[in-house]
Amino acid sequence: MAKPIPVSPLARPLPDLSTVAGVRLSAVAAGVRYQGRTDLMLAEFVPGTIVAGVYTKNACPGAPILWCRQAQTTPYARALLVNAGNANVFTGRAGIQACEDCADAVSKLLDCPPQDVFLSSTGVIGEKLPQDRIIAALPAAQAGLSEDNWAQAARAIMTTDTFPKAARRDVTIGGKPVRLQGIAKGSGMVAPDMATMLAYVATDAKLPQNVLQSLLASGCAQSFNSITVDSDTSTSDTLMLFATGLADNPAVDDVNDPALAEFTLALNDLLLELALLVIRDGEGATKQIRVEVTGADSNLSAHRIALSIANSPLVKTAIAGEDANWGRVVMAVGKSGEPADRDLLSVAIGGTWIARDGGVVENYDEAPVVAHMKGQDIEITVDMGLDDGQARVWTCDLTHGYIDINGSYRS
């Protein structure tokens, strides 16, 4: 049996969570893989709830991804069912059948079409999902539905996570109050497209699906698609946004409507908070790292360079060892395949410029950089000196803890 995983030193406590009108949740133990803990989350949404989603670009997606993509061809959602411990990936026809069986069982309980039931699974790949255990646990899950079960739901979807993750925002649309609240899980197999990662956000705002989808895709680009733990894109990544429509906000049919400005900022901020909680729980992580690239040939080029730095094992292990080895940053820039000029390149760590225009800063004092490296939040800045392209990504350090966790993941 695997050793218990210690709580990340970067952990954050759950915020002050509330309720979202039209959403009820429950968490139960189905025994999918784990014993002695909840591993099944059920969310029920009021009829008429609109759904948007962004899913993994991995070419070997799990059966629940295929199910959700198809289900989202209609705008409505009545339920979300998520299990931990088994990813239902690489399971062929048996995986599809498991999705059909689970969605059908939930639809009978809630008296809705199966296509209004959304599914996610996270855990071990290549093992058949024991859907009979999940279906047997559904009556208890239905009986336990409550508006106040957000924290319990966040814990039920954890795998190698060491702490539950949630965020909340209260804003207005057209002067009317609306609420956003979400939960996430993720610790390893985390990289853009998306970064294994599940996240679910609900709001009582009244918004059409085209607006909801546009907001979610845009917010994902600067949050979940800008984080990486280990460069591995999961087969199960899912980000969903549910809008119950019970708030009294004025009708909005354009994503650029000024009435949406506050809501958009809040959604983006909430998604980034959830994404950074995933980084703070990176397997074996002891430091969170922000990589900022400016002066690149384009924003896309800057993003690729930033990811090259963030995914470099040499950069990440140097930071784990609190070694300000900025030469590894230069290496990672050069290997990215993006336009670069060595003689224009500048590098800073913790706000202190170490190299400017291709050379070490004269009389460079390493003391503030050494002090910065001893902290938990590390900042690396690179100015390419080429144009105005810029990007920001987040990652974590690479320690022996990552090997310990993943070397015994299935045991």
Side-chain angles (χ1 to χ4, degrees):
M1 184 175 178
K3 297 177 183 177
I5 303 171
V7 175
S8 168
L10 307 178
R12 292 289 184 265
L14 283 172
D16 181 21
L17 298 175
S18 186
T19 62
V20 176
V23 182
R24 298 196 303 158
L25 309 98
S26 65
V28 297
V32 173
R33 183 178 191 87
Y34 306 115
Q35 300 298 320
R37 56 155 284 190
T38 57
D39 61 353
L40 186 68
M41 183 270 278
L42 175 65
E44 178 195 33
F45 307 103
V46 68
T49 294
I50 303 297
V51 60
V54 180
Y55 307 100
T56 183
K57 292 182 181 178
N58 191 300
C60 298
I65 297 291
L66 303 179
W67 176 271
C68 287
R69 285 174 177 160
Q70 178 59 36
Q72 204 180 304
T73 56
T74 63
Y76 301 110
R78 281 282 281 124
L80 168 67
L81 183 68
V82 186
N83 75 269
N86 183 310
N88 195 10
V89 173
F90 213 72
T91 48
R93 176 58 200 169
I96 299 298
Q97 187 64 55
C99 287
E100 293 174 356
D101 291 349
C102 289
D104 187 60
V106 173
S107 72
K108 286 182 169 62
L109 285 177
L110 301 183
D111 191 23
C112 68
Q115 70 184 30
D116 290 355
V117 178
F118 287 80
L119 306 169
S120 289
S121 297
T122 178
V124 174
I125 291 172
E127 296 182 3
K128 290 183 179 180
L129 184 71
Q131 67 261 42
D132 290 348
R133 298 180 198 172
I134 293 173
I135 293 169
L138 286 177
Q142 183 188 28
L145 288 169
S146 169
E147 291 183 334
D148 299 317
N149 279 342
W150 282 86
Q152 293 87 330
R155 291 185 176 92
I157 63 176
M158 293 167 52
T159 52
T160 58
D161 302 61
T162 68
F163 64 92
K165 304 163 182 67
R168 168 190 167 189
R169 298 291 185 275
D170 291 284
V171 291
T172 61
I173 298 177
K176 298 296 184 179
V178 298
R179 175 167 294 153
L180 284 152
Q181 191 157 274
I183 59 175
K185 67 84 53 184
S187 189
M189 202 187 289
V190 172
D193 298 330
M194 291 174 336
T196 297
M197 193 264 2
L198 304 176
Y200 310 102
V201 181
T203 178
D204 54 0
K206 182 168 49 182
L207 296 170
Q209 190 187 45
N210 65 317
V211 170
L212 209 64
Q213 185 66 38
S214 180
L215 289 172
L216 188 64
S218 176
C220 179
Q222 52 196 302
S223 57
F224 287 105
N225 274 353
S226 292
I227 63 172
T228 178
V229 168
D230 48 24
S231 83
D232 287 334
T233 300
S234 168
T235 55
S236 305
D237 293 334
T238 299
L239 168 62
M240 303 190 76
L241 175 58
F242 301 89
T244 65
L246 295 186
D248 192 29
N249 62 276
V252 176
D253 57 12
D254 185 344
V255 72
N256 296 312
D257 190 323
L260 267 181
E262 185 183 357
F263 181 87
T264 301
L265 287 174
L267 175 62
N268 292 345
D269 194 49
L270 179 142
L271 292 177
L272 181 57
E273 180 178 347
L274 289 175
L276 293 185
L277 288 172
V278 171
I279 288 299
R280 301 189 76 84
D281 204 12
E283 289 170 339
T286 63
K287 298 178 188 292
Q288 176 180 286
I289 306 163
R290 187 183 77 185
V291 180
E292 187 161 3
V293 174
T294 61
D297 191 56
S298 66
N299 289 345
L300 178 59
S301 180
H303 189 72
R304 289 171 174 166
I305 293 167
L307 284 175
S308 181
I309 298 167
N311 282 325
S312 166
L314 287 177
V315 171
K316 291 156 71 76
T317 50
I319 292 172
E322 300 179 350
D323 178 10
N325 191 342
W326 58 274
R328 293 182 176 181
V329 176
V330 175
M331 171 279 300
V333 171
K335 76 166 186 175
S336 69
E338 293 300 310
D341 186 330
R342 177 198 62 199
D343 296 331
L344 298 177
L345 191 65
S346 301
V347 179
I349 295 179
T352 298
W353 290 98
I354 301 169
R356 281 282 198 187
D357 302 323
V360 179
V361 172
E362 189 174 354
N363 299 320
Y364 158 61
D365 179 8
E366 195 174 55
V369 177
V370 171
H372 179 73
M373 295 294 289
K374 294 186 181 301
Q376 289 187 337
D377 294 281
I378 308 301
E379 297 179 3
I380 297 173
T381 305
V382 172
D383 188 345
M384 301 297 294
L386 298 175
D387 208 325
D388 59 1
Q390 56 185 318
R392 183 180 292 172
V393 304
W394 289 263
T395 187
C396 57
D397 58 343
L398 181 59
T399 72
H400 203 282
Y402 184 87
I403 300 171
D404 292 339
I405 292 167
N406 284 287
S408 59
Y409 182 63
R410 295 195 306 162
S411 57

